[in-house]
Coordinates of all heavy atoms in Angstrom, one line a residue:
M103 N 71.5 53.3 117.8 CA 72.5 53.2 116.7 C 73.6 52.3 117.1 O 74.2 52.5 118.1 CB 73.0 54.6 116.3 CG 74.1 54.6 115.3 SD 74.9 56.2 115.1 CE 73.8 57.0 114.0
K104 N 73.9 51.3 116.3 CA 75.0 50.4 116.6 C 76.3 51.0 115.9 O 76.2 51.5 114.9 CB 74.7 49.0 116.0 CG 73.7 48.2 116.8 CD 73.7 46.8 116.3 CE 72.8 45.9 117.2 NZ 72.8 44.6 116.7
T105 N 77.3 50.7 116.6 CA 78.6 51.1 116.1 C 79.4 49.8 115.8 O 79.6 49.0 116.7 CB 79.5 52.0 117.1 OG1 78.7 53.1 117.5 CG2 80.7 52.4 116.5
K106 N 79.8 49.7 114.6 CA 80.7 48.6 114.2 C 82.2 48.9 114.4 O 82.6 49.9 113.8 CB 80.4 48.2 112.7 CG 81.1 46.9 112.3 CD 80.8 46.5 110.9 CE 81.6 45.3 110.6 NZ 81.3 44.8 109.2
F107 N 82.8 48.2 115.2 CA 84.3 48.4 115.4 C 85.1 47.7 114.3 O 84.7 46.6 113.8 CB 84.7 47.9 116.7 CG 84.2 48.6 117.9 CD1 83.1 48.2 118.6 CD2 84.8 49.9 118.2 CE1 82.6 49.0 119.6 CE2 84.3 50.6 119.2 CZ 83.2 50.1 120.0
M108 N 86.1 48.4 113.8 CA 87.0 47.8 112.8 C 87.8 46.7 113.4 O 88.3 46.8 114.5 CB 88.0 48.9 112.3 CG 88.9 48.5 111.3 SD 89.9 49.8 110.7 CE 91.1 49.9 112.0
E109 N 87.8 45.6 112.7 CA 88.6 44.4 113.1 C 90.0 44.6 112.5 O 90.2 44.9 111.4 CB 88.0 43.2 112.7 CG 86.7 42.9 113.4 CD 86.1 41.5 113.0 OE1 86.8 40.6 112.6 OE2 84.9 41.4 113.2
L110 N 91.0 44.3 113.4 CA 92.4 44.5 113.0 C 92.9 43.1 112.6 O 92.7 42.1 113.3 CB 93.2 45.0 114.1 CG 92.9 46.4 114.6 CD1 93.8 46.8 115.7 CD2 93.1 47.4 113.5
T111 N 93.8 43.1 111.6 CA 94.5 41.9 111.2 C 95.6 41.7 112.3 O 95.9 42.6 113.1 CB 95.2 42.0 109.9 OG1 96.1 42.9 109.9 CG2 94.1 42.3 108.8
D112 N 96.2 40.5 112.3 CA 97.3 40.3 113.3 C 98.5 41.2 113.1 O 99.0 41.8 114.1 CB 97.8 38.9 113.2 CG 96.8 37.8 113.7 OD1 95.8 38.3 114.5 OD2 96.9 36.7 113.5
D113 N 98.8 41.5 111.8 CA 99.8 42.5 111.5 C 99.5 43.9 112.0 O 100.3 44.6 112.6 CB 100.2 42.5 110.0 CG 100.9 41.2 109.5 OD1 101.4 40.5 110.4 OD2 100.9 41.0 108.3
E114 N 98.3 44.3 111.7 CA 97.8 45.6 112.2 C 97.8 45.8 113.7 O 98.3 46.7 114.2 CB 96.4 46.0 111.6 CG 96.4 46.2 110.2 CD 95.0 46.2 109.6 OE1 94.1 45.6 110.2 OE2 94.8 46.9 108.5
A115 N 97.4 44.7 114.4 CA 97.4 44.7 115.8 C 98.9 44.7 116.4 O 99.1 45.5 117.4 CB 96.7 43.4 116.3
A116 N 99.8 44.1 115.7 CA 101.1 44.1 116.1 C 101.7 45.5 115.9 O 102.5 46.0 116.8 CB 102.0 43.0 115.4
I117 N 101.4 46.1 114.8 CA 102.0 47.5 114.6 C 101.4 48.4 115.6 O 102.1 49.2 116.1 CB 101.6 47.9 113.1 CG1 102.5 47.1 112.1 CG2 101.8 49.4 112.9 CD1 102.0 47.2 110.7
F118 N 100.1 48.3 115.8 CA 99.5 49.2 116.8 C 100.1 49.0 118.2 O 100.4 50.0 118.9 CB 97.9 48.9 116.9 CG 97.2 49.8 117.8 CD1 97.0 51.2 117.5 CD2 96.7 49.3 119.0 CE1 96.2 51.9 118.4 CE2 96.0 50.1 119.9 CZ 95.8 51.5 119.5
G119 N 100.3 47.8 118.6 CA 100.9 47.4 119.9 C 102.3 48.1 120.0 O 102.7 48.6 121.0
A120 N 103.1 47.9 118.9 CA 104.4 48.5 118.9 C 104.4 50.0 119.0 O 105.2 50.6 119.7 CB 105.2 48.1 117.6
A121 N 103.4 50.6 118.4 CA 103.2 52.1 118.4 C 102.9 52.5 119.9 O 103.5 53.5 120.3 CB 102.2 52.6 117.5
V122 N 102.1 51.8 120.5 CA 101.8 52.1 121.9 C 103.0 52.0 122.8 O 103.3 52.8 123.6 CB 100.7 51.1 122.4 CG1 100.5 51.2 124.0 CG2 99.3 51.5 121.7
E123 N 103.8 50.9 122.6 CA 105.0 50.7 123.4 C 106.0 51.8 123.1 O 106.7 52.3 124.0 CB 105.6 49.3 123.1 CG 104.8 48.2 123.7 CD 104.5 48.3 125.2 OE1 105.4 48.6 126.0 OE2 103.2 48.1 125.5
L124 N 106.1 52.2 121.9 CA 107.0 53.3 121.5 C 106.6 54.6 122.2 O 107.4 55.4 122.7 CB 107.1 53.5 120.0 CG 107.9 54.7 119.5 CD1 109.4 54.5 119.9 CD2 107.9 54.8 118.0
T125 N 105.3 54.9 122.2 CA 104.8 56.1 122.8 C 105.1 56.1 124.3 O 105.5 57.1 124.9 CB 103.3 56.2 122.6 OG1 103.0 56.2 121.2 CG2 102.7 57.4 123.2
K126 N 104.9 54.9 125.0 CA 105.2 54.8 126.4 C 106.6 55.1 126.6 O 107.0 55.8 127.6 CB 104.9 53.4 126.9 CG 103.4 53.1 127.1 CD 103.3 51.7 127.6 CE 101.9 51.2 127.6 NZ 101.8 49.8 128.0
A127 N 107.5 54.5 125.8 CA 109.0 54.7 126.0 C 109.3 56.2 125.8 O 110.2 56.8 126.5 CB 109.7 53.8 125.0
Q128 N 108.7 56.8 124.8 CA 109.0 58.3 124.5 C 108.5 59.2 125.7 O 109.2 60.1 126.1 CB 108.3 58.7 123.2 CG 109.0 58.2 122.0 CD 108.2 58.5 120.7 OE1 107.0 58.6 120.7 NE2 108.9 58.5 119.7
V129 N 107.4 58.9 126.3 CA 107.0 59.6 127.5 C 107.9 59.5 128.6 O 108.3 60.4 129.3 CB 105.5 59.2 127.9 CG1 105.1 59.8 129.2 CG2 104.5 59.6 126.8
L130 N 108.3 58.2 128.9 CA 109.3 58.0 130.0 C 110.6 58.6 129.7 O 111.2 59.3 130.6 CB 109.5 56.5 130.2 CG 108.3 55.7 130.7 CD1 108.5 54.2 130.8 CD2 107.9 56.2 132.1
Q131 N 111.1 58.6 128.5 CA 112.3 59.3 128.1 C 112.1 60.8 128.3 O 113.0 61.5 128.8 CB 112.7 59.0 126.7 CG 114.1 59.5 126.3 CD 114.5 59.2 124.9 OE1 113.7 58.6 124.2 NE2 115.8 59.3 124.6
A132 N 111.0 61.4 127.9 CA 110.8 62.8 128.0 C 110.7 63.2 129.5 O 111.3 64.2 129.8 CB 109.4 63.2 127.3
I133 N 110.1 62.4 130.3 CA 110.1 62.7 131.7 C 111.5 62.7 132.3 O 111.9 63.6 133.0 CB 109.2 61.7 132.5 CG1 107.7 62.0 132.1 CG2 109.4 61.8 134.0 CD1 106.8 60.9 132.6
S134 N 112.3 61.8 131.9 CA 113.7 61.7 132.3 C 114.5 62.9 131.9 O 115.3 63.5 132.7 CB 114.3 60.4 131.8 OG 115.7 60.3 132.2
I135 N 114.3 63.3 130.7 CA 115.0 64.5 130.1 C 114.7 65.7 130.9 O 115.5 66.5 131.3 CB 114.8 64.6 128.6 CG1 115.5 63.5 127.8 CG2 115.3 65.9 128.1 CD1 115.1 63.3 126.4
V136 N 113.3 66.0 130.9 CA 112.8 67.2 131.6 C 113.3 67.2 133.0 O 113.7 68.3 133.6 CB 111.3 67.3 131.4 CG1 110.8 68.5 132.2 CG2 111.0 67.5 129.9
S137 N 113.2 66.1 133.7 CA 113.6 66.0 135.1 C 115.1 66.3 135.3 O 115.4 67.1 136.2 CB 113.3 64.6 135.6 OG 113.6 64.5 137.0
A138 N 115.9 65.8 134.4 CA 117.3 66.1 134.5 C 117.6 67.6 134.2 O 118.5 68.2 134.9 CB 118.1 65.2 133.5
V139 N 116.9 68.1 133.3 CA 117.2 69.6 132.9 C 116.7 70.5 134.0 O 117.4 71.5 134.3 CB 116.6 69.9 131.5 CG1 116.6 71.4 131.2 CG2 117.3 69.1 130.4
T140 N 115.5 70.2 134.5 CA 114.9 71.1 135.5 C 115.3 70.9 136.9 O 115.2 71.7 137.8 CB 113.4 71.1 135.5 OG1 112.9 69.8 135.8 CG2 112.9 71.5 134.1
G141 N 115.8 69.6 137.2 CA 116.2 69.3 138.5 C 115.0 68.9 139.4 O 115.1 68.9 140.6
R142 N 113.9 68.7 138.8 CA 112.6 68.4 139.6 C 112.3 66.9 139.5 O 112.7 66.3 138.5 CB 111.5 69.2 139.0 CG 111.6 70.7 139.2 CD 110.4 71.4 138.7 NE 110.5 72.9 138.8 CZ 109.7 73.7 138.4 NH1 108.7 73.3 137.6 NH2 109.8 75.0 138.6
D143 N 111.5 66.4 140.5 CA 111.0 65.0 140.4 C 110.0 64.9 139.4 O 109.3 65.9 139.0 CB 110.5 64.6 141.8 CG 111.6 64.6 142.9 OD1 112.8 64.3 142.5 OD2 111.2 64.7 144.0
A144 N 109.7 63.7 139.0 CA 108.7 63.5 137.9 C 107.3 64.0 138.3 O 106.6 64.5 137.5 CB 108.6 62.0 137.6
E145 N 107.0 63.9 139.6 CA 105.7 64.4 140.1 C 105.6 65.9 140.0 O 104.5 66.5 140.0 CB 105.4 64.0 141.5 CG 105.4 62.4 141.7 CD 106.7 61.8 141.8 OE1 107.7 62.4 142.2 OE2 106.8 60.6 141.4
E146 N 106.7 66.7 139.9 CA 106.7 68.1 139.9 C 106.8 68.7 138.5 O 106.9 69.9 138.4 CB 107.8 68.6 140.8 CG 107.8 68.2 142.2 CD 109.1 68.6 143.0 OE1 110.0 69.0 142.3 OE2 109.0 68.5 144.2
L147 N 106.8 67.9 137.5 CA 107.1 68.4 136.2 C 105.8 69.0 135.5 O 104.7 68.6 135.8 CB 107.6 67.3 135.2 CG 108.9 66.7 135.7 CD1 109.3 65.5 134.7 CD2 110.0 67.7 135.7
D148 N 106.1 70.0 134.7 CA 105.0 70.7 133.9 C 104.6 69.7 132.7 O 105.5 69.4 131.9 CB 105.5 72.0 133.4 CG 104.5 72.8 132.6 OD1 103.5 72.2 132.3 OD2 104.8 74.0 132.3
A149 N 103.4 69.4 132.7 CA 102.9 68.4 131.6 C 103.1 69.0 130.2 O 103.4 68.2 129.3 CB 101.4 68.1 131.9
S150 N 102.9 70.3 130.1 CA 103.1 70.8 128.7 C 104.5 70.8 128.3 O 104.8 70.5 127.1 CB 102.6 72.3 128.6 OG 103.4 73.1 129.5
L151 N 105.5 70.9 129.1 CA 106.9 70.8 128.8 C 107.2 69.3 128.5 O 107.9 69.1 127.4 CB 107.8 71.3 130.0 CG 109.3 71.3 129.7 CD1 109.7 72.1 128.5 CD2 110.0 71.8 130.9
V152 N 106.7 68.4 129.2 CA 106.9 67.0 128.9 C 106.3 66.7 127.6 O 106.9 66.0 126.8 CB 106.4 66.1 130.1 CG1 106.5 64.6 129.6 CG2 107.2 66.3 131.3
G153 N 105.1 67.2 127.3 CA 104.5 67.0 126.0 C 105.2 67.5 124.9 O 105.3 66.8 123.8
A154 N 105.9 68.7 125.0 CA 106.7 69.2 124.0 C 107.9 68.3 123.7 O 108.3 68.1 122.5 CB 107.1 70.6 124.4
V155 N 108.5 67.8 124.7 CA 109.7 66.9 124.6 C 109.2 65.6 123.9 O 109.9 65.1 123.0 CB 110.4 66.6 125.9 CG1 111.5 65.6 125.7 CG2 110.9 68.0 126.4
V156 N 108.0 65.1 124.2 CA 107.5 63.9 123.6 C 107.3 64.2 122.1 O 107.7 63.3 121.2 CB 106.2 63.4 124.2 CG1 105.5 62.4 123.4 CG2 106.4 62.9 125.6
Q157 N 106.8 65.3 121.8 CA 106.6 65.6 120.3 C 107.9 65.7 119.6 O 108.0 65.3 118.5 CB 105.8 67.0 120.2 CG 104.4 66.8 120.6 CD 103.7 68.1 120.5 OE1 104.3 69.2 120.4 NE2 102.4 68.1 120.4
T158 N 108.9 66.3 120.3 CA 110.3 66.3 119.6 C 110.9 64.9 119.4 O 111.4 64.7 118.4 CB 111.2 67.2 120.5 OG1 110.7 68.5 120.7 CG2 112.6 67.3 119.9
L159 N 110.7 64.1 120.4 CA 111.2 62.7 120.3 C 110.5 62.0 119.2 O 111.1 61.3 118.4 CB 111.1 62.0 121.6 CG 112.0 62.4 122.8 CD1 111.5 61.7 124.1 CD2 113.4 62.2 122.5
A160 N 109.2 62.2 119.1 CA 108.4 61.5 118.0 C 108.8 62.0 116.6 O 108.9 61.2 115.7 CB 106.9 61.7 118.3
A161 N 109.0 63.3 116.5 CA 109.5 63.9 115.2 C 110.8 63.4 114.9 O 111.1 63.0 113.7 CB 109.5 65.4 115.4
N162 N 111.7 63.3 115.9 CA 113.1 62.7 115.6 C 113.0 61.3 115.1 O 113.7 60.8 114.2 CB 114.0 62.8 116.8 CG 114.3 64.3 117.1 OD1 114.2 65.1 116.3 ND2 114.8 64.5 118.3
Q163 N 112.1 60.5 115.8 CA 112.0 59.1 115.5 C 111.4 58.9 114.1 O 111.9 58.1 113.3 CB 111.0 58.4 116.4 CG 110.8 56.9 116.2 CD 112.0 56.1 116.5 OE1 112.8 56.4 117.3 NE2 112.1 54.9 115.8
S164 N 110.4 59.8 113.7 CA 109.8 59.8 112.4 C 110.8 60.1 111.3 O 110.9 59.5 110.3 CB 108.6 60.7 112.4 OG 108.1 60.7 111.1
A165 N 111.6 61.1 111.6 CA 112.7 61.6 110.6 C 113.7 60.4 110.4 O 114.1 60.2 109.3 CB 113.4 62.8 111.1
L166 N 114.0 59.7 111.5 CA 115.0 58.6 111.4 C 114.5 57.6 110.6 O 115.2 57.0 109.7 CB 115.3 58.1 112.8 CG 116.3 56.9 112.9 CD1 117.7 57.3 112.3 CD2 116.5 56.4 114.3
V167 N 113.2 57.1 110.8 CA 112.6 56.1 110.0 C 112.5 56.5 108.5 O 112.8 55.7 107.6 CB 111.2 55.8 110.6 CG1 110.4 54.9 109.6 CG2 111.3 55.1 111.9
M168 N 112.1 57.8 108.3 CA 112.0 58.2 106.9 C 113.4 58.2 106.2 O 113.5 57.9 105.0 CB 111.4 59.6 106.8 CG 109.9 59.6 107.3 SD 108.9 58.4 106.3 CE 108.8 59.2 104.8
S169 N 114.4 58.7 106.9 CA 115.8 58.7 106.3 C 116.3 57.3 106.1 O 117.0 57.1 105.0 CB 116.7 59.5 107.2 OG 117.0 58.8 108.4
R170 N 116.0 56.4 106.9 CA 116.4 55.0 106.7 C 115.7 54.4 105.5 O 116.2 53.6 104.7 CB 116.1 54.1 107.9 CG 117.0 54.5 109.1 CD 116.8 53.7 110.3 NE 117.6 52.5 110.1 CZ 117.5 51.4 110.9 NH1 116.7 51.5 112.0 NH2 118.2 50.4 110.8
R171 N 114.4 54.8 105.3 CA 113.6 54.3 104.2 C 114.3 54.8 102.9 O 114.3 54.1 101.9 CB 112.2 54.7 104.3 CG 111.4 54.2 103.1 CD 110.0 54.7 103.1 NE 109.2 54.4 104.2 CZ 108.0 54.9 104.6 NH1 107.5 55.8 103.8 NH2 107.4 54.5 105.6
D172 N 114.7 56.1 102.9 CA 115.3 56.7 101.7 C 116.6 55.9 101.3 O 116.8 55.7 100.1 CB 115.7 58.1 102.0 CG 114.4 59.0 102.1 OD1 113.4 58.6 101.6 OD2 114.6 60.1 102.6
F173 N 117.3 55.4 102.3 CA 118.5 54.7 101.9 C 118.3 53.2 101.6 O 119.1 52.6 100.9 CB 119.5 54.7 103.1 CG 120.1 56.1 103.3 CD1 119.8 56.8 104.5 CD2 121.0 56.7 102.4 CE1 120.4 58.1 104.7 CE2 121.5 58.0 102.6 CZ 121.2 58.6 103.7
T174 N 117.2 52.6 102.1 CA 117.0 51.2 101.7 C 116.1 51.0 100.5 O 115.9 49.9 100.1 CB 116.4 50.5 103.0 OG1 115.1 51.2 103.3 CG2 117.3 50.5 104.2
G175 N 115.5 52.1 100.1 CA 114.7 52.1 98.8 C 113.3 51.5 99.2 O 112.5 51.0 98.5

């Protein structure tokens, strides 16, 4: 069975790339936050705690984007 991959337009690829970079930044920020709060090095952090902080950062980013959209119409 052959699988056909979806081809992305340049705009879609740019958006996808930006989303990947944002995710990387959120993970690094979450590691920094959890490390500062717990006093542990990045290698000693609990992945589930970092994941929860990443989810919070993503939710905050999403809320910010949505609120800006409400004001700009």
